[in-house]
Amino acid sequence: MDSDTIWRNVDDQRGQLADLLDTLEPQQWATPSLCAGWTVREVAIHITQSHASIGELLPAAFKSGFRFDAMVRRAALEDPSEPSAITARLRAMAGSRKRPPMTKEVDPLLDILIHTQDICIPLGIDQPMPTAAAAAVADRLWHMKFPFAPQRDLPGYRFVATDAGYAVGPEWGGRREAPIRDIVLMFSRRRDVPDSEPEAESGED
């Protein structure tokens, strides 16, 4: 996926999420997300903080002993923004290609696709992932070693998307067929790998 297409998808997904967040009731903002220990509100804030400067994040980094996970958690918890301010910040990111240091260009797309599911799934909202974007994110996840490492954590499987031209893993591995969105969620540890392979067709009429 080329650079322009990546950022067009990032802008589109951020805009869609902002529109969705505007419809939430107060209790929905307080709902636990798929990120353990994080609410919907905290995940939404975290997405906007990908544009924070080093100077803005330094206080949280210092208080957290410069541990990455603790730093981003503290930064989200200490942000007092109201929902309207959060969605305004999300929309203001449109057109920007800013990304955190030492990240790849596809990482903001990974971030918005996965965190949107972190918000939507606990709320019972079915939010599709664009197929080509999800395949690009799945490929990025497959080759990561931190914070996700599917090749290490999910050995012996071959993952095949049922709705995209995407397959990865050893040919001899246990075949797991699923929509590309579910594969992204498996690679990002949001969904367990199914226990069994899909049943073979009998070939009978």
Side-chain angles (χ1 to χ4, degrees):
M1 180 174 283
D2 64 66
S3 177
D4 288 343
T5 304
I6 288 173
W7 289 105
R8 185 165 58 251
N9 274 277
V10 170
D11 284 346
D12 183 57
Q13 293 301 304
R14 286 172 175 167
Q16 287 188 37
L17 179 58
D19 290 344
L20 186 149
L21 291 172
D22 277 339
T23 70
L24 299 187
E25 300 294 333
Q27 69 273 17
Q28 292 176 297
W29 282 89
T31 299
S33 75
L34 287 189
C35 292
W38 293 60
T39 65
V40 164
R41 176 183 172 277
E42 289 157 3
V43 173
I45 288 172
H46 169 67
I47 294 170
T48 70
Q49 288 177 337
S50 66
H51 271 194
S53 68
I54 294 296
E56 290 171 320
L57 290 176
L58 271 178
F62 180 77
K63 293 176 184 176
S64 305
F66 293 92
R67 290 170 293 133
F68 177 78
D69 288 344
M71 179 192 74
V72 295
R73 171 78 171 136
R74 183 180 293 275
L77 283 173
E78 293 184 349
D79 189 317
S81 299
E82 295 294 326
S84 59
I86 296 169
T87 55
R89 285 208 313 247
L90 195 52
R91 290 191 175 95
M93 295 165 75
S96 171
R97 297 193 174 192
K98 184 176 181 180
R99 54 190 169 93
M102 298 181 292
T103 59
K104 294 185 178 294
E105 194 168 39
V106 73
D107 287 351
L109 181 59
L110 181 155
D111 196 58
I112 187 63
L113 289 190
I114 293 174
H115 286 319
T116 293
Q117 299 300 314
D118 288 337
I119 288 169
C120 290
I121 291 174
L123 294 175
I125 298 171
D126 181 17
Q127 185 73 2
M129 284 186 189
T131 303
V137 166
D139 192 60
R140 167 63 173 144
L141 286 163
W142 182 251
H143 292 95
M144 290 177 78
K145 292 181 170 58
F146 176 83
F148 309 111
Q151 291 191 60
R152 179 198 67 202
D153 297 337
L154 304 173
Y157 292 109
R158 178 157 180 84
F159 297 94
V160 180
T162 57
D163 56 353
Y166 181 81
V168 73
E171 291 285 353
W172 51 261
R175 187 182 179 93
R176 296 296 185 269
E177 296 182 3
I180 191 64
R181 176 175 61 174
D182 289 351
I183 291 174
V184 168
L185 294 172
M186 290 179 213
F187 288 179
S188 59
R189 300 199 295 262
R190 267 64 177 181
R191 181 160 294 173
D192 293 334
V193 176
D195 289 334
S196 59
E197 301 182 29
E199 294 183 8
E201 293 182 7
S202 65
E204 299 177 359
D205 293 334

